[in-house]
Amino acid sequence: MKTKEIVQSKIPDPRNQDAKIKAQKVILGFKKELVEFFVRLRILRIVFRHFQNPVKVLKILKTLDSNRRKISGPGRVNKFIKINGRYFWNLYIPGSNSLAFDRFFEAEINRISPIPGKTNRFSNIFIAFTKKCPLKCEHCFEWDVINKKEKLGLNDIQMIIKKFQLKGVAQFQITGGEPMLRVDDIVEMIQSSHKGTDFWVLTSGFNLTYANAQKLKQAGLTGVVISLDHFDPESHNLFRGFKKSYQWVEEAVRNSIASSLVTALSICVTKTFVSESNLMRYAELAKKLGVSFVQILEPKALGHYSGKDVQLAPEQEKILEEFYLKMNFDKRFRDFPIITYHGYYQRRVGCFGAGNRHLYIDTDGDLHPCPFCFSKTGNALDGSLDDSIAELQAKGCHSFNDSNIR
Ligand code: SF4
């Protein structure tokens, strides 16, 4: 098989137009087979570390593989993104060759067959860093608290992060409001946290200057998810309620890639947007911008959308599912960004939120099932965290069944 390594983006250092930067790469062909072999070998080693019976080991590996197909789709992983010696193929799985990767898989193995000793309790935690935001997005789920008085200081957030790290978390997704308004606090928080957890920032692109992207990278940030809700600049600006927001996205993507941060776009697909041709135009733009991932979110009737008829129709969900499968498993689209679509697995295997594998901590430190499903259940700073998590799990997800993948 032909070795192919596509340079996904060659964006120069914005401070020096002649400077060469480390490009994000899509690994395909023979090299992809080789990477996949070593990733599987690493997982095999993790299983062997805890189980020596070959029959049991085989059973665990088969279950892991079957779970992957149930969650991500029927095909094999057909590309990897290489950044800083780590290989990524899923936005919510830490890249290989890292402690976060090992701990993520230990936790998944533990769900199949209990491992003696401690494993991660969560794959990821969404934590809102601030209520402040300069935008007025059509779909904002934090709309009711935006720009109200802050409650959590840096010390509070550091305490919450430590509490959850003690329980074991593979990834933290830092959200808001606009988290980049507290960039220095994010840097300090990451620097003071324990190793073995990846940190991501979810942003509108605001304030993701080259200097800030560099600061975050040096602190240990893994990646950035930048919201872009339309391929057309004016439509995006209208959706976000700010005339410069498309420009921020372009600059943020450039600065993030130039700083070797894993870079993703996130789109909230509205009823008026969903069509095969619009999705393809968006994917073409994402490829041109050089991002590694595109995340598809479905609109939910909460926050700014509260009381509105925004839920997609089943035929629109079908268009999204077909697009998701085509882009990730059809060889013709191998050099496009990898698509993440939560609706695909949620409708098949249930939801991983509500404390199953993830949960959401809002700007007051209150716990919720996920960022799109609000139901305050205890507080991360007050009372017993274990009791609050147990209550959250008992309540479950409001929109989907709880995950049937233990
Ligand atoms: S969705 Fe995010 S960027 Fe938009 S207004 Fe809400 S907090 Fe701000």
Side-chain angles (χ1 to χ4, degrees):
M1 202 180 291
K2 206 173 140 208
T3 301
K4 210 171 172 194
E5 194 173 85
I6 291 181
V7 175
Q8 199 169 16
S9 179
K10 276 190 176 163
I11 297 171
D13 177 339
R15 296 179 310 178
N16 174 2
Q17 292 300 309
D18 298 325
K20 284 231 163 90
I21 61 152
K22 242 187 184 175
Q24 298 189 345
K25 290 171 183 154
V26 183
I27 307 297
L28 301 168
F30 177 69
K31 194 153 186 190
K32 174 251 148 188
E33 298 294 329
L34 212 59
V35 170
E36 190 176 347
F37 172 77
F38 281 110
V39 167
R40 284 178 182 273
L41 198 63
R42 189 160 180 131
I43 296 170
L44 177 67
R45 271 207 217 123
I46 300 168
V47 182
F48 261 125
R49 209 179 291 152
H50 301 284
F51 302 97
Q52 283 73 45
N53 180 334
V55 178
K56 188 150 206 170
V57 169
L58 207 63
K59 209 174 142 208
I60 290 170
L61 291 176
K62 274 180 83 176
T63 311
L64 280 174
D65 214 44
S66 132
N67 288 352
R68 179 184 61 77
R69 285 169 196 273
K70 282 184 203 159
I71 296 165
S72 305
R76 284 177 62 198
V77 171
N78 75 355
K79 59 197 155 197
F80 287 91
I81 311 295
K82 183 183 181 188
I83 295 171
N84 301 321
R86 296 177 73 185
Y87 295 93
F88 295 81
W89 73 94
N90 184 311
L91 204 50
Y92 290 91
I93 299 179
S96 66
N97 304 331
S98 67
L99 193 53
F101 174 93
D102 293 356
R103 289 186 176 166
F104 174 91
F105 276 98
E106 260 178 355
E108 289 302 310
I109 293 161
N110 182 51
R111 288 169 187 270
I112 299 166
S113 189
I115 288 176
K118 188 178 165 298
T119 57
N120 273 2
R121 175 112 187 228
F122 300 102
S123 350
N124 57 306
I125 300 283
F126 295 86
I127 178 163
F129 239 68
T130 178
K131 297 183 204 287
K132 296 203 170 28
C133 184
L135 299 180
K136 294 183 175 61
C137 301
E138 202 179 293
H139 70 318
C140 179
F141 53 86
E142 285 287 7
W143 190 249
D144 299 338
V145 299
I146 283 299
N147 294 320
K148 298 243 164 86
K149 199 164 170 258
E150 295 287 17
K151 191 165 171 192
L152 302 181
L154 176 60
N155 284 344
D156 298 318
I157 291 171
Q158 283 172 314
M159 210 180 293
I160 294 173
I161 297 285
K162 289 222 164 85
K163 275 189 181 190
F164 277 91
Q165 281 200 307
L166 285 174
K167 304 215 165 291
V169 185
Q171 296 179 318
F172 279 105
Q173 270 87 14
I174 300 162
T175 173
E178 173 45 69
M180 287 302 292
L181 282 162
R182 289 185 73 174
V183 61
D184 291 332
D185 283 350
I186 297 174
V187 166
E188 209 174 318
M189 182 276 292
I190 296 174
Q191 283 169 338
S192 66
S193 66
H194 300 302
K195 301 288 164 249
T197 309
D198 284 355
F199 287 90
W200 288 72
V201 168
L202 317 187
T203 173
S204 63
F206 172 81
N207 204 25
L208 191 53
T209 59
Y210 182 66
N212 282 338
Q214 287 284 310
K215 249 195 311 194
L216 287 164
K217 176 71 190 173
Q218 277 155 24
L221 189 77
T222 299
V224 178
V225 180
I226 301 159
S227 294
L228 175 65
D229 298 290
H230 210 291
F231 50 80
D232 171 53
E234 264 184 46
S235 304
H236 173 75
N237 290 343
L238 208 63
F239 186 93
R240 292 261 147 191
F242 198 84
K243 64 176 190 289
K244 275 191 169 174
S245 63
Y246 185 88
Q247 189 188 322
W248 289 346
V249 171
E250 283 191 321
E251 287 168 11
V253 166
R254 199 180 308 127
N255 295 330
S256 174
I257 293 174
S259 303
S260 296
L261 290 162
V262 187
T263 309
L265 290 179
S266 182
I267 175 171
C268 174
V269 281
T270 58
K271 285 182 173 192
T272 52
F273 184 89
V274 185
S275 74
E276 166 66 21
S277 62
N278 277 353
L279 290 165
M280 266 325 291
R281 284 185 72 182
Y282 188 94
E284 291 282 359
L285 173 63
K287 182 181 165 189
K288 190 170 144 221
L289 289 173
V291 301
S292 301
F293 292 93
V294 167
Q295 171 173 250
I296 295 174
L297 300 175
E298 292 174 8
K300 303 273 179 223
L302 86 159
H304 206 184
Y305 269 158
S306 182
K308 294 188 181 145
D309 178 23
V310 291
Q311 193 173 333
L312 301 181
E315 59 273 20
Q316 293 175 315
E317 291 169 358
K318 191 163 176 267
I319 293 173
L320 289 174
E321 289 193 359
E322 283 168 3
F323 174 75
Y324 163 79
L325 291 172
K326 177 179 84 176
M327 299 307 287
N328 283 352
F329 300 115
D330 184 331
K331 285 190 173 167
R332 286 174 300 156
F333 302 100
R334 283 189 314 177
D335 54 345
F336 277 77
I338 296 167
I339 310 289
T340 297
Y341 177 32
H342 305 287
Y344 178 84
Y345 66 79
Q346 284 169 327
R347 283 188 279 278
R348 284 165 179 76
V349 300
C351 181
F352 293 138
N356 175 297
R357 283 172 176 78
H358 67 81
L359 56 81
Y360 172 58
I361 304 165
D362 73 13
T363 47
D364 292 337
D366 293 330
L367 309 185
H368 301 268
C370 84
F372 305 104
C373 186
F374 284 4
S375 171
K376 177 182 164 176
T377 312
N379 186 280
L381 289 169
D382 302 329
S384 157
L385 190 53
D386 282 332
D387 288 352
S388 300
I389 293 168
E391 198 188 326
L392 195 67
Q393 285 175 325
K395 279 189 188 170
C397 170
H398 297 182
S399 315
F400 300 95
N401 294 327
D402 292 338
S403 166
N404 57 24
I405 295 191
R406 297 321 309 163

